[in-house]
Amino acid sequence: MTADRPHDTGSTTDIGPTSSSARASSSGTASSTRTTSGIGPTSSSGTAGDIGPDYHPTPSARHQEATGGGVFGRSYRGLTLGIVSVVSLVAFEAIAVNTAMPVAARALHGIGLYAFAFSACFTASLFAMALAGEWSDRRGPLAPLFAGIAAFGVGLLIAGGARSMGMFLAGRGVQGIGGGLVVVSLYVVVGRAYPERLRPSIMAAFSAAWVMPVIVGPLVAGTVTEQFGWRWVFLSIPVLILLPLAVMLPALRTLPRTRPGPGNGVRQILGNRRCLLALAVAVGACLLQYAGQHPVWLALLPAAAGLALLVPGIVRLLPRGTFRAARGLPTVVLMRGLAAGSLVAAESFVPLMLVTQRGLSTTLAGLSLTGGGLTWALGSYAQSRPRLEPYRERLMGLGMVLLAAAIVTVPLVLLDGVPSWIVAAAWTVGGFGMGLNISSGGVLLLKLSRPEEAGSNSASLQMSDALGNVTFVGVSGVLFVAFGGGSIAADGPAATAGAGGTSHPAAFAAVFAAMAVVAVAGAGVAGRLRPGQG
């Protein structure tokens, strides 16, 4: 789970929710381009999600809108600091857990289930994202936000105290539920609490919140793992949850709330069609991952069952017209999936390429991606400048072009005479492009969403990120093996091209070429971001 995150080798979720909203109009555009402003906007129909039909701006809300001020001004400082603290905590957890995971899997004798330690979190978050979208739209974002933070902490405690790999995977699943609830709810809070003029700035703050965890996370997690044991990486993080809660709670209490109406009970929300579809998608993804781990003929049965659950659910969960790039909201959601998937798929193979083909140490190979994390935050800051607001759609397209250029440049390191630092230079360009694209996509989504649909549309965006990740990482893996890359793993991590290890430049070239095509396709549909006919 990523929230406008600068860098995370596991996912690219922009800490924003995305829920599959099929509530776009029949032409594929958002059913209303009416934007929200201030605290608790109302839609043209008079409802306002968590605010209620009888809501009118309070004097303090009108004062906040009139007096202005930035996201760190007096009116918004507490809420902004709390949100940024939550995002930083999520970022640190993602990076720290990735660092400690190999040691944890070995200690629990679960190397064979290593991939499931990540996929359990992912599949659980798919369901939680849709649940959070419906929950936020029907009863407001506060309950799912706090439920998500609590589940996130409980999942960490279960994983940290696990005595078997099965218990560890269960903890990761609970973490995924918490993470899915949190990211969607935070997006809805932004839509409810911040006027439109401040949303680009809060999106930039999301990305900035990843900078410090990206820099210090691996070092801190590695030191804790070596000195105290891997369990403390998981067990120490829940204590940190108390700080963002304490900072954010007073500001959240000032948000108007809605009384649950008929059909808005927990049972009705869980039994909602969208939640059931999301559950089917999560189960389908799990079955496909299981089949991929067992390359035997019998694995075709769970693979077929997984596809039967996954494909219809995806089509119904994402906004109508997403896969044909219908103008407006559907194209925003589509571009997010293309950007996230192409980046993560390419990024996953960069360290392996540098270690096996150029003989770099794992530390140096990992550091080649750090610059991309920093420029991601810079790109997100750049898109938040008020003078660039009229060009937001172009910023998303430019971001995809920069990402494509970075992905095309990286495999040049496979040629003799090309220095290894070209990868780090290229990834700083790609990171800047992602900062422009991801943050601008979050702003556009809120702009194109009616207030009562902010939760479901936010969940759609996040789900597009997750589905893009799993789809294009899977495609890259197939290409890598098809072009002979599978034998690299058999050579072991110490085997490099320079040390006589097996060299498979074509396998890496195939992966980067395919992901560059995906990024170019994303740039190609950027012209359909602006709502209109067709």
Side-chain angles (χ1 to χ4, degrees):
M1 112 184 172
T2 112
D4 267 80
R5 66 170 195 74
H7 169 66
D8 171 21
T9 57
S11 66
T12 60
T13 66
D14 141 83
I15 210 145
T18 49
S19 78
S20 26
S21 162
R23 297 182 180 124
S25 67
S26 59
S27 64
T29 61
S31 41
S32 171
T33 57
R34 191 173 190 276
T35 59
T36 61
S37 63
I39 297 179
T42 57
S43 73
S44 55
S45 63
T47 61
D50 63 326
I51 293 166
D54 298 324
Y55 170 72
H56 300 284
T58 62
S60 60
R62 286 196 296 268
H63 175 70
Q64 289 176 5
E65 295 180 14
T67 56
V71 294
F72 288 102
R74 185 177 62 180
S75 300
Y76 300 100
R77 185 182 301 127
L79 183 59
T80 299
L81 289 174
I83 290 175
V84 169
S85 298
V86 171
V87 177
S88 296
L89 182 64
V90 170
F92 181 78
E93 182 273 339
I95 294 167
V97 167
N98 285 349
T99 302
M101 193 69 74
V103 179
R106 284 196 299 268
L108 296 173
H109 307 290
I111 290 294
L113 297 174
Y114 181 81
F116 282 95
F118 296 96
S119 62
C121 190
F122 160 71
T123 53
S125 69
L126 279 175
F127 168 68
M129 289 171 189
L131 173 60
E134 291 298 320
W135 197 351
S136 296
D137 284 343
R138 291 168 181 249
R139 304 186 66 169
L142 302 190
L145 174 61
F146 287 110
I149 292 175
F152 186 71
V154 170
L156 285 165
L157 293 175
I158 294 174
R163 299 297 175 183
S164 67
M165 196 61 179
M167 185 177 178
F168 185 80
L169 294 179
R172 293 289 290 163
V174 175
Q175 267 187 266
I177 292 174
L181 292 173
V182 167
V183 294
V184 174
S185 302
L186 283 181
Y187 242 64
V188 179
V189 167
V190 168
R192 297 291 187 263
Y194 293 86
E196 185 179 352
R197 64 181 176 81
L198 292 181
R199 290 176 194 158
S201 296
I202 193 64
M203 295 298 175
F206 281 169
S207 291
W210 277 79
V211 172
M212 190 57 65
V214 164
I215 295 173
V216 306
L219 178 62
V220 172
T223 301
V224 171
T225 300
E226 293 174 3
Q227 300 297 322
F228 303 101
W230 66 268
R231 295 183 184 277
W232 287 103
V233 174
F234 292 86
L235 295 176
S236 59
I237 294 176
V239 179
L240 303 178
I241 294 175
L242 300 176
L243 176 61
L245 285 179
V247 172
M248 174 164 63
L249 187 57
L252 289 175
R253 283 176 172 170
T254 66
L255 293 179
R257 304 189 185 184
T258 250
R259 296 187 185 89
N264 284 350
V266 174
R267 182 176 300 178
Q268 287 80 5
I269 294 174
L270 288 173
N272 179 270
R273 177 174 174 270
R274 287 170 53 77
C275 291
L276 294 177
L277 285 172
L279 180 60
V281 168
V283 173
C286 187
L287 289 173
L288 283 175
Q289 291 162 18
Y290 174 83
Q293 293 285 314
H294 299 80
V296 296
W297 285 108
L298 287 177
L300 291 176
L301 294 177
L307 286 173
L309 291 170
L310 188 66
V311 174
I314 292 174
V315 171
R316 290 171 174 80
L317 281 171
L318 296 182
R320 183 182 303 164
T322 295
F323 295 105
R324 58 182 175 84
R327 287 188 175 275
L329 181 65
T331 297
V332 174
V333 173
L334 175 63
M335 282 189 69
R336 279 290 294 272
L338 295 176
S342 59
L343 173 89
V344 171
E347 189 176 70
S348 299
F349 285 90
V350 168
L352 182 62
M353 179 180 66
L354 292 176
V355 169
T356 62
Q357 308 301 298
R358 295 303 297 263
L360 269 65
S361 68
T362 54
T363 299
L364 287 177
L367 287 175
S368 67
L369 301 175
T370 301
L374 300 178
T375 54
W376 184 313
L378 180 61
S380 184
Y381 172 78
Q383 65 78 39
S384 71
R385 299 301 83 197
R387 64 179 177 272
L388 294 179
E389 180 60 35
Y391 310 103
R392 190 155 301 283
E393 293 84 0
R394 295 182 184 179
L395 291 177
M396 286 193 72
L398 174 61
M400 292 298 293
V401 170
L402 294 177
L403 177 61
I407 295 175
V408 166
T409 303
V410 165
L412 294 179
V413 77
L414 296 169
L415 302 175
D416 292 336
V418 176
S420 299
W421 56 257
I422 194 73
V423 174
W427 222 244
T428 59
V429 174
F432 186 81
M434 285 297 288
L436 294 177
N437 182 280
I438 293 294
S439 297
S440 292
V443 173
L444 278 178
L445 176 121
L446 293 174
K447 183 177 182 179
L448 295 172
S449 299
R450 292 187 298 184
E452 68 273 17
E453 294 178 350
S456 58
N457 287 345
S458 293
S460 293
L461 199 67
Q462 199 74 22
M463 194 168 291
S464 181
D465 284 353
L467 291 173
N469 291 345
V470 71
T471 299
F472 293 118
V473 169
V475 169
S476 296
V478 171
L479 289 172
F480 187 70
V481 173
F483 281 83
S487 61
I488 291 178
D491 296 333
T496 65
T502 305
S503 179
H504 294 283
F508 292 101
V511 169
F512 290 109
M515 292 308 104
V517 170
V518 173
V520 169
V525 301
R528 302 182 65 80
L529 286 167
R530 195 177 295 275
Q533 298 298 320

